[in-house]
Amino acid sequence: MSLELNKTEQGVVDGLSSDFSEDLIDVYQSCDHTYIRVEAENIIQILKFLKEKHHFIFLCDIIGTDRYTSDERFEVIYNIMNLRTQDRIFVKIRVEEENPHVPTATSLWTSAGWFEREIYDMYGVRFEGHPDHRRMYMPEDFEYFPLRKEFPLLGIPGSIELPNTTPDTE
């Protein structure tokens, strides 16, 4: 399948092929969006390159996913946008199941802090260098990560104290 890249996207792919050829793994399109998969080791340098050289200055979101595979189980997907051209690209990295960690993007976008905290809370992927790496929704002492595929749909009985659903009677 051939790619139908616009001028901005083609410039990004050419730039990454030139400056980060060792890190560029795959480029594909799905649902009218362009996805670029790169090695996780240099993700901050790649995001900085895209921000400074190609004006992808707006971090829309960072998404975590659990592929539930034995190899490179988790994905972290950076949804970034060029506000001049209104182009959006998704930059993906994969992380191993054992001790999943990636460097934080908070040095590039302050807003990355919230997204990274949410991914840590739900999937257990740690972001090294994050300035405030607390859980976002779950209690700090909660041992599980609710959006991992092995987490039971009905939760783990007794793992978290829930409020009484029956009002006290007098």
Side-chain angles (χ1 to χ4, degrees):
M1 181 178 134
S2 65
L3 297 174
E4 295 179 18
L5 302 175
N6 65 31
K7 183 178 176 182
T8 303
E9 294 166 337
Q10 187 64 54
V12 166
V13 172
D14 292 344
L16 288 174
S17 298
S18 172
D19 293 7
F20 296 95
S21 62
E22 304 269 326
D23 298 309
L24 185 60
I25 297 172
D26 190 19
V27 178
Y28 66 94
Q29 293 178 308
S30 178
C31 300
D32 294 329
H33 294 293
T34 300
Y35 293 81
I36 300 172
R37 189 171 151 230
V38 297
E39 293 287 348
E41 297 167 358
N42 291 324
I43 185 61
I44 298 305
Q45 290 82 7
I46 291 169
L47 292 173
K48 184 175 182 181
F49 172 80
L50 294 173
K51 183 178 181 182
E52 294 177 355
K53 301 282 185 191
H54 294 279
H55 309 287
F56 282 87
I57 61 170
F58 183 60
L59 174 68
C60 304
D61 199 1
I62 305 175
I63 306 158
T65 63
D66 182 355
R67 301 173 56 238
Y68 205 50
T69 60
S70 59
D71 186 39
E72 298 179 321
R73 177 175 172 179
F74 300 104
E75 281 186 332
V76 177
I77 306 165
Y78 300 84
N79 174 3
I80 56 177
M81 190 166 185
N82 180 326
L83 296 180
R84 288 182 181 172
T85 62
Q86 302 294 308
D87 289 312
R88 174 190 314 265
I89 59 172
F90 294 86
V91 180
K92 299 172 76 170
I93 58 173
R94 290 186 178 167
V95 184
E96 295 294 333
E97 180 177 3
E98 290 296 318
N99 189 22
H101 64 279
V102 296
T104 181
T106 54
S107 62
L108 299 173
W109 295 283
T110 306
S111 61
W114 291 100
F115 303 133
E116 291 174 348
R117 282 182 61 190
E118 184 177 33
I119 293 169
Y120 166 65
D121 199 14
M122 296 292 116
Y123 295 99
V125 176
R126 297 196 65 86
F127 290 85
E128 293 181 356
H130 192 285
D132 184 16
H133 212 287
R134 291 178 292 146
R135 295 193 85 148
M136 193 165 199
Y137 303 113
M138 306 308 293
E140 279 298 320
D141 60 346
F142 193 66
E143 301 173 23
Y144 308 98
F145 301 102
L147 289 184
R148 285 189 175 188
K149 299 273 182 163
E150 75 269 13
F151 192 83
L153 289 177
L154 296 178
I156 298 173
S159 64
I160 189 168
E161 186 175 330
L162 299 174
N164 188 356
T165 55
T166 307
D168 293 336
T169 56
E170 294 180 310

Short mmCIF file of all heavy atoms in Angstrom, two decimals, residues 2-59:
data_model
loop_
_atom_site.label_atom_id
_atom_site.label_comp_id
_atom_site.label_asym_id
_atom_site.label_seq_id
_atom_site.Cartn_x
_atom_site.Cartn_y
_atom_site.Cartn_z
N SER A 2 0.60 2.13 -0.89
CA SER A 2 1.40 3.36 -0.94
C SER A 2 0.80 4.40 -0.01
O SER A 2 -0.39 4.43 0.25
CB SER A 2 1.44 3.88 -2.37
OG SER A 2 0.14 4.27 -2.77
N LEU A 3 1.68 5.24 0.49
CA LEU A 3 1.25 6.29 1.41
C LEU A 3 0.82 7.52 0.62
O LEU A 3 1.41 7.84 -0.41
CB LEU A 3 2.39 6.65 2.35
CG LEU A 3 2.88 5.55 3.27
CD1 LEU A 3 4.10 6.00 4.04
CD2 LEU A 3 1.79 5.12 4.22
N GLU A 4 -0.20 8.17 1.11
CA GLU A 4 -0.64 9.43 0.50
C GLU A 4 -0.35 10.54 1.51
O GLU A 4 -1.24 11.00 2.22
CB GLU A 4 -2.12 9.36 0.17
CG GLU A 4 -2.44 8.33 -0.89
CD GLU A 4 -3.92 8.26 -1.21
OE1 GLU A 4 -4.65 9.21 -0.87
OE2 GLU A 4 -4.33 7.25 -1.77
N LEU A 5 0.92 10.94 1.55
CA LEU A 5 1.35 11.94 2.51
C LEU A 5 1.23 13.33 1.91
O LEU A 5 1.57 13.54 0.74
CB LEU A 5 2.80 11.68 2.92
CG LEU A 5 3.11 10.31 3.53
CD1 LEU A 5 4.61 10.16 3.76
CD2 LEU A 5 2.35 10.12 4.83
N ASN A 6 0.80 14.28 2.71
CA ASN A 6 0.80 15.66 2.23
C ASN A 6 2.22 16.23 2.38
O ASN A 6 3.13 15.54 2.84
CB ASN A 6 -0.25 16.50 2.96
CG ASN A 6 0.04 16.65 4.44
OD1 ASN A 6 1.21 16.66 4.85
ND2 ASN A 6 -0.99 16.74 5.25
N LYS A 7 2.39 17.47 2.01
CA LYS A 7 3.73 18.08 1.99
C LYS A 7 4.37 18.08 3.38
O LYS A 7 5.55 17.75 3.52
CB LYS A 7 3.62 19.51 1.45
CG LYS A 7 4.94 20.22 1.31
CD LYS A 7 4.70 21.62 0.74
CE LYS A 7 6.02 22.38 0.69
NZ LYS A 7 5.83 23.75 0.20
N THR A 8 3.61 18.43 4.40
CA THR A 8 4.14 18.46 5.76
C THR A 8 4.53 17.07 6.23
O THR A 8 5.63 16.87 6.78
CB THR A 8 3.09 19.05 6.73
OG1 THR A 8 2.71 20.34 6.27
CG2 THR A 8 3.64 19.16 8.14
N GLU A 9 3.65 16.10 6.03
CA GLU A 9 3.93 14.73 6.46
C GLU A 9 5.14 14.15 5.71
O GLU A 9 5.97 13.47 6.30
CB GLU A 9 2.70 13.85 6.24
CG GLU A 9 1.53 14.24 7.11
CD GLU A 9 0.22 13.62 6.67
OE1 GLU A 9 0.09 13.23 5.49
OE2 GLU A 9 -0.70 13.54 7.51
N GLN A 10 5.22 14.44 4.41
CA GLN A 10 6.36 13.94 3.64
C GLN A 10 7.66 14.57 4.15
O GLN A 10 8.69 13.89 4.25
CB GLN A 10 6.17 14.26 2.15
CG GLN A 10 7.23 13.62 1.26
CD GLN A 10 7.16 12.09 1.31
OE1 GLN A 10 6.12 11.50 1.07
NE2 GLN A 10 8.28 11.46 1.65
N GLY A 11 7.61 15.85 4.53
CA GLY A 11 8.79 16.51 5.10
C GLY A 11 9.21 15.86 6.41
O GLY A 11 10.40 15.69 6.69
N VAL A 12 8.22 15.49 7.22
CA VAL A 12 8.52 14.81 8.50
C VAL A 12 9.18 13.46 8.24
O VAL A 12 10.21 13.14 8.84
CB VAL A 12 7.23 14.65 9.33
CG1 VAL A 12 7.45 13.66 10.47
CG2 VAL A 12 6.77 15.98 9.86
N VAL A 13 8.60 12.69 7.34
CA VAL A 13 9.15 11.36 7.05
C VAL A 13 10.55 11.48 6.46
O VAL A 13 11.47 10.76 6.86
CB VAL A 13 8.21 10.57 6.12
CG1 VAL A 13 8.86 9.27 5.66
CG2 VAL A 13 6.90 10.28 6.84
N ASP A 14 10.74 12.42 5.55
CA ASP A 14 12.07 12.62 4.97
C ASP A 14 13.07 13.07 6.03
O ASP A 14 14.21 12.60 6.06
CB ASP A 14 12.01 13.66 3.84
CG ASP A 14 11.24 13.16 2.62
OD1 ASP A 14 11.03 11.93 2.52
OD2 ASP A 14 10.85 14.00 1.79
N GLY A 15 12.64 13.98 6.91
CA GLY A 15 13.54 14.45 7.97
C GLY A 15 13.92 13.35 8.94
O GLY A 15 15.08 13.22 9.33
N LEU A 16 12.93 12.54 9.32
CA LEU A 16 13.23 11.43 10.24
C LEU A 16 14.10 10.38 9.55
O LEU A 16 15.00 9.81 10.17
CB LEU A 16 11.93 10.79 10.74
CG LEU A 16 11.11 11.62 11.74
CD1 LEU A 16 9.78 10.94 12.03
CD2 LEU A 16 11.88 11.87 13.01
N SER A 17 13.84 10.13 8.27
CA SER A 17 14.66 9.16 7.52
C SER A 17 16.10 9.63 7.44
O SER A 17 17.03 8.82 7.44
CB SER A 17 14.11 8.97 6.11
OG SER A 17 12.82 8.45 6.16
N SER A 18 16.28 10.93 7.36
CA SER A 18 17.63 11.48 7.25
C SER A 18 18.33 11.56 8.60
O SER A 18 19.46 11.09 8.75
CB SER A 18 17.55 12.87 6.62
OG SER A 18 18.78 13.51 6.67
N ASP A 19 17.66 12.15 9.60
CA ASP A 19 18.30 12.41 10.90
C ASP A 19 18.15 11.28 11.91
O ASP A 19 18.93 11.21 12.86
CB ASP A 19 17.74 13.70 11.50
CG ASP A 19 18.12 14.93 10.69
OD1 ASP A 19 18.71 14.77 9.61
OD2 ASP A 19 17.83 16.04 11.15
N PHE A 20 17.14 10.45 11.77
CA PHE A 20 16.90 9.37 12.75
C PHE A 20 16.64 8.05 12.02
O PHE A 20 15.73 7.30 12.39
CB PHE A 20 15.70 9.73 13.64
CG PHE A 20 15.92 10.94 14.50
CD1 PHE A 20 15.48 12.19 14.07
CD2 PHE A 20 16.56 10.84 15.72
CE1 PHE A 20 15.67 13.32 14.86
CE2 PHE A 20 16.75 11.96 16.51
CZ PHE A 20 16.31 13.21 16.08
N SER A 21 17.41 7.77 11.02
CA SER A 21 17.17 6.58 10.20
C SER A 21 17.23 5.29 11.02
O SER A 21 16.52 4.34 10.75
CB SER A 21 18.16 6.52 9.04
OG SER A 21 19.48 6.43 9.53
N GLU A 22 18.09 5.26 12.04
CA GLU A 22 18.21 4.06 12.87
C GLU A 22 16.98 3.86 13.76
O GLU A 22 16.70 2.74 14.19
CB GLU A 22 19.44 4.17 13.77
CG GLU A 22 20.73 4.40 13.04
CD GLU A 22 21.43 3.11 12.70
OE1 GLU A 22 21.31 2.18 13.50
OE2 GLU A 22 22.05 3.05 11.64
N ASP A 23 16.26 4.95 14.05
CA ASP A 23 15.12 4.88 14.98
C ASP A 23 13.78 4.75 14.29
O ASP A 23 12.79 4.42 14.93
CB ASP A 23 15.10 6.14 15.86
CG ASP A 23 16.35 6.26 16.70
OD1 ASP A 23 16.70 5.27 17.37
OD2 ASP A 23 16.98 7.33 16.66
N LEU A 24 13.72 5.03 13.02
CA LEU A 24 12.45 4.98 12.28
C LEU A 24 12.11 3.53 11.94
O LEU A 24 12.85 2.86 11.23
CB LEU A 24 12.55 5.83 11.01
CG LEU A 24 11.28 5.97 10.18
CD1 LEU A 24 10.16 6.63 10.98
CD2 LEU A 24 11.58 6.78 8.92
N ILE A 25 11.00 3.04 12.45
CA ILE A 25 10.62 1.64 12.27
C ILE A 25 9.55 1.48 11.19
O ILE A 25 9.66 0.64 10.32
CB ILE A 25 10.11 1.04 13.60
CG1 ILE A 25 11.24 1.05 14.62
CG2 ILE A 25 9.56 -0.37 13.39
CD1 ILE A 25 10.82 0.65 16.01
N ASP A 26 8.51 2.31 11.26
CA ASP A 26 7.39 2.12 10.34
C ASP A 26 6.63 3.43 10.18
O ASP A 26 6.55 4.24 11.11
CB ASP A 26 6.46 1.04 10.89
CG ASP A 26 5.40 0.59 9.90
OD1 ASP A 26 5.58 0.82 8.69
OD2 ASP A 26 4.41 -0.01 10.33
N VAL A 27 6.08 3.63 9.00
CA VAL A 27 5.17 4.74 8.72
C VAL A 27 3.96 4.13 8.03
O VAL A 27 4.10 3.39 7.06
CB VAL A 27 5.82 5.80 7.80
CG1 VAL A 27 4.83 6.92 7.50
CG2 VAL A 27 7.08 6.37 8.42
N TYR A 28 2.78 4.41 8.55
CA TYR A 28 1.57 3.91 7.92
C TYR A 28 0.43 4.88 8.15
O TYR A 28 0.52 5.79 8.99
CB TYR A 28 1.22 2.51 8.43
CG TYR A 28 0.83 2.43 9.88
CD1 TYR A 28 -0.51 2.50 10.26
CD2 TYR A 28 1.79 2.30 10.87
CE1 TYR A 28 -0.88 2.42 11.58
CE2 TYR A 28 1.43 2.23 12.20
CZ TYR A 28 0.10 2.29 12.55
OH TYR A 28 -0.26 2.22 13.88
N GLN A 29 -0.63 4.69 7.40
CA GLN A 29 -1.81 5.54 7.53
C GLN A 29 -3.02 4.68 7.87
O GLN A 29 -3.17 3.56 7.37
CB GLN A 29 -2.06 6.31 6.24
CG GLN A 29 -0.95 7.33 5.98
CD GLN A 29 -1.14 8.08 4.69
OE1 GLN A 29 -1.31 7.46 3.65
NE2 GLN A 29 -1.11 9.39 4.77
N SER A 30 -3.85 5.24 8.73
CA SER A 30 -5.08 4.58 9.12
C SER A 30 -6.10 5.66 9.49
O SER A 30 -5.75 6.62 10.20
CB SER A 30 -4.82 3.65 10.31
OG SER A 30 -6.01 3.05 10.74
N CYS A 31 -7.31 5.51 9.00
CA CYS A 31 -8.39 6.45 9.31
C CYS A 31 -7.97 7.90 9.03
O CYS A 31 -8.20 8.80 9.84
CB CYS A 31 -8.84 6.30 10.76
SG CYS A 31 -9.47 4.68 11.16
N ASP A 32 -7.32 8.12 7.92
CA ASP A 32 -6.89 9.46 7.47
C ASP A 32 -5.83 10.10 8.36
O ASP A 32 -5.66 11.32 8.34
CB ASP A 32 -8.08 10.41 7.33
CG ASP A 32 -9.03 9.99 6.23
OD1 ASP A 32 -8.55 9.39 5.24
OD2 ASP A 32 -10.23 10.26 6.35
N HIS A 33 -5.14 9.32 9.15
CA HIS A 33 -4.06 9.84 9.98
C HIS A 33 -2.77 9.09 9.68
O HIS A 33 -2.79 7.93 9.28
CB HIS A 33 -4.38 9.73 11.47
CG HIS A 33 -5.52 10.58 11.90
ND1 HIS A 33 -5.46 11.96 11.90
CD2 HIS A 33 -6.76 10.28 12.33
CE1 HIS A 33 -6.61 12.47 12.31
NE2 HIS A 33 -7.43 11.45 12.57
N THR A 34 -1.66 9.77 9.93
CA THR A 34 -0.35 9.19 9.69
C THR A 34 0.27 8.80 11.02
O THR A 34 0.31 9.60 11.96
CB THR A 34 0.56 10.20 8.96
OG1 THR A 34 -0.05 10.52 7.71
CG2 THR A 34 1.94 9.61 8.72
N TYR A 35 0.73 7.56 11.10
CA TYR A 35 1.36 7.02 12.29
C TYR A 35 2.82 6.74 11.98
O TYR A 35 3.14 6.16 10.93
CB TYR A 35 0.68 5.71 12.71
CG TYR A 35 -0.74 5.91 13.18
CD1 TYR A 35 -1.78 6.03 12.26
CD2 TYR A 35 -1.04 5.99 14.53
CE1 TYR A 35 -3.08 6.23 12.68
CE2 TYR A 35 -2.33 6.18 14.96
CZ TYR A 35 -3.35 6.30 14.03
OH TYR A 35 -4.64 6.50 14.46
N ILE A 36 3.67 7.15 12.90
CA ILE A 36 5.10 6.94 12.73
C ILE A 36 5.58 6.18 13.96
O ILE A 36 5.50 6.69 15.08
CB ILE A 36 5.85 8.28 12.59
CG1 ILE A 36 5.33 9.04 11.37
CG2 ILE A 36 7.34 8.04 12.48
CD1 ILE A 36 5.85 10.45 11.25
N ARG A 37 6.06 4.98 13.74
CA ARG A 37 6.58 4.19 14.87
C ARG A 37 8.09 4.32 14.90
O ARG A 37 8.76 4.13 13.87
CB ARG A 37 6.17 2.74 14.74
CG ARG A 37 6.52 1.97 15.98
CD ARG A 37 5.95 0.57 15.98
NE ARG A 37 6.88 -0.21 16.78
CZ ARG A 37 7.41 -1.34 16.42
NH1 ARG A 37 7.08 -1.91 15.29
NH2 ARG A 37 8.27 -1.96 17.21
N VAL A 38 8.61 4.65 16.08
CA VAL A 38 10.05 4.86 16.25
C VAL A 38 10.53 4.08 17.46
O VAL A 38 9.74 3.61 18.29
CB VAL A 38 10.39 6.36 16.41
CG1 VAL A 38 10.00 7.14 15.17
CG2 VAL A 38 9.74 6.94 17.65
N GLU A 39 11.85 3.95 17.57
CA GLU A 39 12.44 3.32 18.75
C GLU A 39 12.22 4.20 19.96
O GLU A 39 12.30 5.44 19.88
CB GLU A 39 13.95 3.11 18.54
CG GLU A 39 14.29 2.10 17.48
CD GLU A 39 14.02 0.67 17.92
OE1 GLU A 39 13.78 0.44 19.12
OE2 GLU A 39 14.03 -0.21 17.05
N ALA A 40 11.99 3.58 21.10
CA ALA A 40 11.69 4.33 22.32
C ALA A 40 12.91 5.06 22.88
O ALA A 40 12.76 6.09 23.55
CB ALA A 40 11.13 3.38 23.38
N GLU A 41 14.10 4.58 22.60
CA GLU A 41 15.31 5.14 23.21
C GLU A 41 15.48 6.63 22.94
O GLU A 41 15.90 7.38 23.80
CB GLU A 41 16.54 4.40 22.70
CG GLU A 41 16.57 2.96 23.07
CD GLU A 41 17.63 2.20 22.30
OE1 GLU A 41 18.32 2.78 21.45
OE2 GLU A 41 17.74 0.99 22.57
N ASN A 42 15.18 7.05 21.71
CA ASN A 42 15.41 8.45 21.33
C ASN A 42 14.11 9.23 21.15
O ASN A 42 14.07 10.19 20.38
CB ASN A 42 16.24 8.52 20.06
CG ASN A 42 17.65 8.05 20.30
OD1 ASN A 42 18.22 8.29 21.37
ND2 ASN A 42 18.23 7.36 19.34
N ILE A 43 13.06 8.84 21.84
CA ILE A 43 11.77 9.49 21.62
C ILE A 43 11.82 10.98 21.93
O ILE A 43 11.22 11.78 21.20
CB ILE A 43 10.63 8.78 22.42
CG1 ILE A 43 9.27 9.40 22.09
CG2 ILE A 43 10.90 8.82 23.91
CD1 ILE A 43 8.87 9.27 20.64
N ILE A 44 12.52 11.38 22.95
CA ILE A 44 12.55 12.81 23.29
C ILE A 44 13.28 13.61 22.21
O ILE A 44 12.82 14.68 21.81
CB ILE A 44 13.20 13.01 24.68
CG1 ILE A 44 12.37 12.30 25.75
CG2 ILE A 44 13.32 14.51 25.00
CD1 ILE A 44 10.90 12.70 25.79
N GLN A 45 14.38 13.08 21.68
CA GLN A 45 15.08 13.78 20.61
C GLN A 45 14.21 13.86 19.35
O GLN A 45 14.20 14.88 18.65
CB GLN A 45 16.41 13.07 20.28
CG GLN A 45 17.46 13.19 21.35
CD GLN A 45 17.27 12.16 22.47
OE1 GLN A 45 16.42 11.26 22.38
NE2 GLN A 45 18.05 12.30 23.54
N ILE A 46 13.45 12.80 19.09
CA ILE A 46 12.58 12.80 17.91
C ILE A 46 11.43 13.80 18.09
O ILE A 46 11.12 14.58 17.19
CB ILE A 46 12.06 11.37 17.64
CG1 ILE A 46 13.22 10.50 17.16
CG2 ILE A 46 10.91 11.38 16.64
CD1 ILE A 46 12.92 9.02 17.12
N LEU A 47 10.82 13.81 19.26
CA LEU A 47 9.73 14.76 19.51
C LEU A 47 10.25 16.20 19.47
O LEU A 47 9.58 17.10 18.95
CB LEU A 47 9.07 14.47 20.86
CG LEU A 47 8.28 13.16 20.94
CD1 LEU A 47 7.82 12.91 22.37
CD2 LEU A 47 7.08 13.18 19.98
N LYS A 48 11.44 16.41 20.00
CA LYS A 48 12.05 17.74 19.95
C LYS A 48 12.32 18.16 18.50
O LYS A 48 12.05 19.30 18.12
CB LYS A 48 13.36 17.75 20.76
CG LYS A 48 14.00 19.10 20.85
CD LYS A 48 15.23 19.05 21.76
CE LYS A 48 15.82 20.44 21.87
NZ LYS A 48 17.02 20.46 22.71
N PHE A 49 12.81 17.23 17.70
CA PHE A 49 13.03 17.48 16.27
C PHE A 49 11.72 17.87 15.58
O PHE A 49 11.66 18.84 14.82
CB PHE A 49 13.63 16.22 15.63
CG PHE A 49 13.74 16.26 14.15
CD1 PHE A 49 14.78 16.92 13.52
CD2 PHE A 49 12.79 15.60 13.35
CE1 PHE A 49 14.88 16.95 12.14
CE2 PHE A 49 12.89 15.62 11.97
CZ PHE A 49 13.93 16.30 11.36
N LEU A 50 10.66 17.13 15.85
CA LEU A 50 9.37 17.41 15.22
C LEU A 50 8.81 18.75 15.69
O LEU A 50 8.20 19.49 14.91
CB LEU A 50 8.38 16.29 15.51
CG LEU A 50 8.73 14.93 14.89
CD1 LEU A 50 7.78 13.86 15.38
CD2 LEU A 50 8.73 15.04 13.37
N LYS A 51 9.04 19.08 16.94
CA LYS A 51 8.54 20.35 17.47
C LYS A 51 9.32 21.53 16.90
O LYS A 51 8.73 22.51 16.45
CB LYS A 51 8.63 20.33 19.00
CG LYS A 51 8.07 21.57 19.67
CD LYS A 51 8.14 21.48 21.18
CE LYS A 51 7.53 22.73 21.81
NZ LYS A 51 7.63 22.70 23.27
N GLU A 52 10.63 21.43 16.91
CA GLU A 52 11.46 22.57 16.51
C GLU A 52 11.63 22.71 15.00
O GLU A 52 11.64 23.82 14.49
CB GLU A 52 12.82 22.48 17.20
CG GLU A 52 12.71 22.63 18.70
CD GLU A 52 14.03 22.46 19.43
OE1 GLU A 52 15.05 22.13 18.78
OE2 GLU A 52 14.04 22.68 20.66
N LYS A 53 11.79 21.62 14.30
CA LYS A 53 12.04 21.68 12.85
C LYS A 53 10.78 21.64 12.01
O LYS A 53 10.75 22.17 10.91
CB LYS A 53 12.94 20.50 12.43
CG LYS A 53 14.27 20.46 13.11
CD LYS A 53 15.23 21.44 12.51
CE LYS A 53 16.59 21.25 13.16
NZ LYS A 53 17.52 22.27 12.85
N HIS A 54 9.73 21.00 12.51
CA HIS A 54 8.52 20.83 11.70
C HIS A 54 7.29 21.47 12.35
O HIS A 54 6.18 21.24 11.89
CB HIS A 54 8.28 19.35 11.42
CG HIS A 54 9.35 18.75 10.55
ND1 HIS A 54 9.37 18.88 9.20
CD2 HIS A 54 10.48 18.07 10.87
CE1 HIS A 54 10.44 18.28 8.70
NE2 HIS A 54 11.13 17.78 9.70
N HIS A 55 7.50 22.23 13.41
CA HIS A 55 6.45 23.04 14.04
C HIS A 55 5.26 22.24 14.56
O HIS A 55 4.14 22.74 14.57
CB HIS A 55 5.97 24.14 13.08
CG HIS A 55 7.08 24.94 12.51
ND1 HIS A 55 7.79 25.86 13.25
CD2 HIS A 55 7.67 24.92 11.28
CE1 HIS A 55 8.74 26.38 12.50
NE2 HIS A 55 8.70 25.83 11.30
N PHE A 56 5.52 21.02 14.99
CA PHE A 56 4.45 20.27 15.67
C PHE A 56 4.51 20.70 17.14
O PHE A 56 5.06 20.00 17.99
CB PHE A 56 4.65 18.76 15.49
CG PHE A 56 4.19 18.29 14.15
CD1 PHE A 56 5.06 18.32 13.06
CD2 PHE A 56 2.90 17.87 13.95
CE1 PHE A 56 4.64 17.91 11.81
CE2 PHE A 56 2.46 17.46 12.70
CZ PHE A 56 3.34 17.48 11.63
N ILE A 57 3.95 21.87 17.40
CA ILE A 57 4.14 22.50 18.70
C ILE A 57 3.04 22.16 19.69
O ILE A 57 3.17 22.45 20.87
CB ILE A 57 4.24 24.03 18.57
CG1 ILE A 57 2.95 24.61 17.97
CG2 ILE A 57 5.45 24.42 17.74
CD1 ILE A 57 2.88 26.11 18.04
N PHE A 58 1.96 21.56 19.24
CA PHE A 58 0.83 21.29 20.14
C PHE A 58 0.73 19.80 20.44
O PHE A 58 0.53 18.99 19.54
CB PHE A 58 -0.47 21.79 19.51
CG PHE A 58 -1.67 21.60 20.40
CD1 PHE A 58 -1.74 22.19 21.65
CD2 PHE A 58 -2.73 20.83 19.98
CE1 PHE A 58 -2.83 22.01 22.46
CE2 PHE A 58 -3.85 20.64 20.79
CZ PHE A 58 -3.89 21.24 22.03
N LEU A 59 0.91 19.47 21.70
CA LEU A 59 0.72 18.09 22.15
C LEU A 59 -0.76 17.93 22.50
O LEU A 59 -1.22 18.44 23.52
CB LEU A 59 1.60 17.79 23.36
CG LEU A 59 1.38 16.42 24.01
CD1 LEU A 59 1.85 15.31 23.07
CD2 LEU A 59 2.14 16.35 25.34
#
